[in-house]
Each structure stands twice: as structure tokens, then as C-alpha cells.
Amino acid sequence: MSLNINILICLFLCGEVPGIQSFEQVPWLPCQLVDESVTFNDEGHAETEYQHRDAGLQFGHPGDSALNPNKITFLVTGSKVDMRKYIEGVMAHQLRCEIRRYNTEGLQMRWPGLGAQEHDIWFTCTIRHTDGVFIITSFLRHTPATPTPGQAHYRNWAAIADRAALTTSTVMLVLTRSPSVRVGLVKQQSLHCQFDVDHKAADLTVEWRLQRHGERTTLFSHSSHSGQTKGSGVPLNAIGRGNASLTLPLTKQSSEGTYVCLVSVPPLFGSHDITLHIMEPPRVSLNVDSTIFLVDRGEQKVVCEAEGYYPLDVEMEWFREPSGGGGGLLPEKLDTVLYSSHRHHQDGTYSLSAFFLLHAFLHNSGSKYFCRVSHSSQRMPIRKSFTLIVTEYDSWNTALWLFFGFGAILVMVAILFVMLPRLSSARKANQVGTSSYLTCVSSFIRSIYGIRMVYVIQRNAYLQILSLQQ
Ligand SMILES: *[C@@H]1O[C@H](CO)[C@@H](O)[C@H](O)[C@H]1NC(C)=O
């Protein structure tokens, strides 16, 4: 029963692409043949016309009949170099395959591998993962049934019939599993490049170049023929195992660029471009806590700071989400936001802040404010928020203060006055005691109410309060 269901699903979803199967199990992978036909105009200039044709890779043995006889079949037969080995577990529908003719630039030579002929012609087959996980380029050697001298040269390319089946053998492949790299600053990074050749002791050259701002530098090169090595980053024993991965020095801003891994065994020349982008995400912070309390009509400067990001482009916005969310009200973008200028730090990163003056009104109490920072290093914007609580203007508190504060002072002063007659009677005997008593009362008032009482004791023992200061 479940088998039937699977087949039904495949009829609807897959069409002719065997999408549910992983690549090793697929005997036939649809491919586009980007065919070129070269014509020469009256002045003898070559004009190339490209034609996209339906084709496919069929994995099998020489003499196998074509599984899709109405398409062009590239029958890939037993070879030591098997592209399927590098694509294990990948679903066939995640692969894009493209075959092109390969021009040896006039270099006509017998390939050193087993079974090669003098007049073999060449194709490249590039298989890329749709999510950019890898790119693998294989070189397919085909021995034409009727050998013609110089057939590998584009001037002499023979036409391929619509239902042709070409028996080929994979003689070499070059792949990268890091076609596009995003990495932070001061990081260890290695760029993947791997190759395989169908014969030992090949005349091999491995090279890494860096292209940035229109400049090209060779970072590493090694030739097995001359034994010469220049530059560093690829261990020679790794090259012996088909591993040409380049280990970069700790990343810095200037590490950005396009790295080209080149592997050549004459007359074949394979390469992959690897783009490296430095990406450092911003650290986002606010100058306020997650809840801030303000009185009605109060103000507060609120700053959102994004620090330490790279590259420069960043988008910072402030939004207000009205209180009582769930009412379907959309956050509204604040238009009174000001920005600092970009600050450039020594490590190559940038900082920026976005701030506004928050005016608190009672009806905004409970509103949530959030700062949204979008940067290319992040799939989703970073959000930092706070909630505003607005309390009514503090008139009630002030009244209380006045009532209790000044009330108590009046009581104190009254007590003093009540005591004056006694002070007066004891004035001669006890002048010192009185003044220390007053000092004690005044410092009591001061410590409780924060009011400084300035007083003098007159000769006639009257107490004169000169001032009360808060
Ligand atoms: C290839 O060599 C690099 C060092 O250059 C190493 O880090 C990596 O693990 C090697 N990969 C394989 C598949 O051996």
C-alpha cells in the first residue's frame, strides 16, 4: 500500500526527475548540454552560438542501451574516478547538471590514463548543489568512432545528433565544498578544494589565486613535474591524497575576495571560484532596562547601539507597539529617530547608534518599544525592546510631602517656642545646655526632612529662626 502511495507522489512531483532517490542510486541524471557551434564570418572571426539541449548522464558499462533514447546520453563508464562518490546522500532533485564541450586550446595529446586515444574529445560536466553546498567539475573523455585529427579543437568539433549516445570515461574531477564562505574576523578558515585523477604520477599543477579589487595574486603553487612549490597554505602530503584545500591566515578585512583553486593535468585545466565574505554580526544594546518608569509628560533619551559589525551596511529602526497587543495593531515606525555617524574601529568593524527622545504620556503607558537592526550577517533582524510605564504626574506625592514635611516643622517650632520660657529661666545657668539642645533638634529636622534651619539665640533668650532651606 505504502509503495503505491510513493509511486503516486512521484508521478505528481517528480516528473522525469527521480527526485526522491539519492544520487548514487540514480542511473540517469538529467543534464543540460550547453552546446556551442562555431562559425566563421567573412573576416575569418569566430562566432559562437550557444544552444541548450536536453541530455543526461547515465552510469553504466560500455554497450549499455540508453535509458532515455530520445535524449542525448553521456554514458559514464567504469573509471577510477567516480563523481558519485563525492555526492553521497544528496537527493537527485538538489542537483543541477551542465555539460559543455571542452576546448584543449590546440593542445593535442594522448591522455596518459588507460584506454585513451590520440583523437579523444573532451566534455566537462559540472554538477552543483542547489543550496551551494558543493560544485564538482568532471572531465569526460570520449573516443569518437571515426577519429579525425584535431577534433578536440573547437574548429573541428563534430555535431552531436539529438539522440546520440556518447560513451565517456571520467578522467579527472575538481570539486569544492565551500563555493561561498562567510566568516567572522580573526577566524581560522580553510577553503575546500579536492581533486581526483585516473592515473598515478600525473603531471599535476595545483595553484591558488586571490582576486580582489581587480588585482590577482598567486598565494600558492605546486608543480609535481618540477617539484617546485611557492607560497604556503597547502600541505604537500595532502596534495598527494587529492586534497588541495587552502588554510588561510587568521581572517581580517582584507581576506575578502575570490579565491581560485586551479588543478591542471595537461591538456585539462580545472578550477573553482570560492568567494569569501567577512561577516561580523552587530552586538545590539539599549541604554535602558527592559521596563522604564516615567511620570506623565516626562522625557528620556533612548539609545539603541549596534557595535562591532562588518560590512558597513546596517539598517536600524525604532518601532512602537501600542499597549494591549493582540488588538491587531501593527507596530508603528518612529520617525523622530536620529542617528550617530558610523564609527570605524581599528579591527575593521563599525558601530552606529539610533536614538530618540521619548516623551511619556499616560495613554502610552504599557507600550512596547523595540529597536530593530538588520544586517547581512543575520537572516533575521535583531530586536531589543523595553516597555514604558507612565505614572500620573506626581502632584499627590508633592502634596503629601508638603503636608507632612512642613506640618512637622511647624510642630517642632511650636515645641521650641513652648520651651522658651524654661530656657529663659535657666538661661544663665544653662546657656551651653540650651544651645546643644537646639543643635540636636535642628539636626533631627535636617536628617528627616532635609531642611537646614538657621537660627540664633538672642541675648534675651529669644530664639530667632533666620531661615529654612531645603
Ligand atoms: C585537507 O587538508 C586540510 C589541511 O590543509 C585539512 O584540514 C582537511 O581536513 C583535509 N581534508 C581531507 C578530506 O582530508
Side-chain angles (χ1 to χ4, degrees):
M1 190 60 200
S2 73
L3 186 70
N4 287 341
I5 290 171
N6 278 341
I7 289 166
L8 274 179
I9 290 173
C10 210
L11 279 180
F12 285 120
L13 294 179
C14 317
E16 63 174 28
V17 184
I20 312 293
Q21 280 175 293
S22 81
F23 181 51
E24 309 93 275
Q25 305 158 316
V26 175
W28 207 85
L29 182 74
C31 259
Q32 187 137 73
L33 170 65
V34 182
D35 205 1
E36 292 169 52
S37 56
V38 181
T39 51
F40 294 90
N41 64 14
D42 297 344
E43 284 123 53
H45 294 303
E47 280 171 0
T48 309
E49 210 177 291
Y50 292 92
Q51 194 189 355
H52 293 252
R53 307 175 68 186
D54 281 343
L57 290 182
Q58 182 177 327
F59 295 91
H61 305 281
D64 281 358
S65 55
L67 293 172
N68 280 300
N70 52 347
K71 305 235 163 96
I72 301 167
T73 299
F74 286 82
L75 182 64
V76 183
T77 61
S79 160
K80 280 182 65 205
V81 179
D82 189 352
M83 62 182 97
R84 289 177 295 179
K85 188 167 98 188
Y86 300 91
I87 313 181
E88 269 169 35
V90 179
M91 299 294 129
H93 70 275
Q94 292 174 297
L95 300 172
R96 291 289 168 274
C97 174
E98 191 180 271
I99 296 174
R100 285 172 183 266
R101 294 174 182 264
Y102 183 76
N103 176 18
T104 59
E105 311 283 351
L107 201 55
Q108 185 72 54
M109 57 179 285
R110 200 184 72 85
W111 177 254
L114 204 67
Q117 301 300 318
E118 187 77 25
H119 303 301
D120 287 342
I121 62 166
W122 299 98
F123 295 92
T124 58
C125 169
T126 300
I127 297 176
R128 50 186 88 225
H129 191 278
T130 47
D131 297 334
V133 178
F134 60 77
I135 302 181
I136 170 165
T137 298
S138 312
F139 290 86
L140 306 178
R141 183 180 58 75
H142 167 67
T143 305
T146 48
T148 326
Q151 221 168 11
H153 194 275
Y154 69 89
R155 283 174 184 272
N156 308 318
W157 276 338
I160 298 170
D162 276 344
R163 303 162 135 234
L166 291 85
T167 303
T168 67
S169 164
T170 316
V171 301
M172 176 170 120
L173 60 79
V174 184
L175 82 133
T176 178
R177 295 191 190 281
S178 56
S180 173
V181 175
R182 295 160 142 233
V183 63
L185 287 162
V186 207
K187 294 277 167 0
Q188 197 91 57
Q189 180 68 41
S190 127
L191 306 178
H192 183 265
C193 185
Q194 203 176 351
F195 63 92
D196 199 0
V197 185
D198 72 347
H199 61 282
K200 285 205 162 45
D203 174 8
L204 175 82
T205 305
V206 171
E207 207 171 299
W208 277 96
R209 291 182 193 155
L210 169 61
Q211 282 163 224
R212 60 190 301 263
H213 309 314
E215 251 179 69
R216 197 154 78 177
T217 42
T218 301
L219 304 172
F220 173 86
S221 76
H222 170 76
S223 155
S224 70
H225 186 68
S226 68
Q228 242 187 14
T229 305
K230 284 185 207 146
S232 62
V234 187
L236 293 189
N237 56 358
I239 292 180
R241 297 191 302 271
N243 181 356
S245 301
L246 176 74
T247 304
L248 294 176
L250 286 181
T251 52
K252 46 187 198 288
Q253 202 188 327
S254 61
S255 308
E256 273 194 323
T258 302
Y259 292 77
V260 188
C261 170
L262 302 114
V263 177
S264 76
V265 177
L268 307 180
F269 194 83
S271 75
H272 283 298
D273 286 5
I274 297 172
T275 53
L276 182 106
H277 293 286
I278 300 288
M279 287 279 165
E280 201 58 62
R283 299 183 300 274
V284 182
S285 61
L286 303 183
N287 70 329
V288 293
D289 290 335
S290 58
T291 307
I292 68 173
F293 298 91
L294 289 179
V295 295
D296 192 16
R297 269 159 264 182
E299 285 178 352
Q300 163 96 46
K301 183 180 174 185
V302 189
V303 185
C304 179
E305 171 110 37
E307 289 173 281
Y309 55 86
Y310 185 88
L312 177 70
D313 296 311
V314 73
E315 199 183 339
M316 287 179 87
E317 288 160 317
W318 272 104
F319 290 88
R320 188 170 72 87
E321 220 166 60
S323 59
L329 291 172
L330 286 175
E332 104 194 51
K333 191 177 150 188
L334 303 186
D335 52 9
T336 54
V337 176
L338 297 172
Y339 294 88
S340 70
S341 55
H342 276 282
R343 292 180 298 281
H344 194 190
H345 304 293
Q346 250 177 1
D347 62 2
T349 62
Y350 297 94
S351 297
L352 181 70
S353 42
F355 54 95
F356 69 98
L357 194 59
L358 172 63
H359 297 278
F361 294 107
L362 269 182
H363 64 266
N364 282 350
S365 189
S367 292
K368 194 169 162 183
Y369 290 77
F370 63 89
C371 169
R372 194 176 75 178
V373 179
S374 311
H375 187 256
S376 51
S377 61
Q378 304 285 306
R379 252 174 219 222
M380 302 285 285
I382 302 171
R383 281 167 64 143
K384 291 280 165 183
S385 64
F386 69 86
T387 305
L388 170 67
I389 303 293
V390 186
T391 51
E392 236 171 297
Y393 180 65
D394 239 358
S395 53
W396 174 237
N397 274 357
T398 313
L400 273 187
W401 195 91
L402 282 175
F403 182 77
F404 284 107
F406 280 102
I409 288 169
L410 286 179
V411 170
M412 290 287 174
V413 171
I415 289 170
L416 279 179
F417 273 92
V418 169
M419 299 202 59
L420 274 182
R422 296 186 203 177
L423 290 173
S424 164
S425 64
R427 72 180 187 246
K428 282 197 177 92
N430 214 359
Q431 193 91 60
V432 180
T434 307
S435 99
S436 64
Y437 170 77
L438 282 171
T439 309
C440 180
V441 169
S442 78
S443 65
F444 173 75
I445 290 174
R446 197 168 156 192
S447 66
I448 302 268
Y449 300 106
I451 288 175
R452 177 199 290 268
M453 189 167 83
V454 182
Y455 61 86
V456 288
I457 302 170
Q458 307 278 20
R459 284 225 182 119
N460 57 7
Y462 280 103
L463 175 80
Q464 184 179 7
I465 295 175
L466 295 177
S467 69
L468 290 169
Q469 304 167 344
Q470 195 176 3

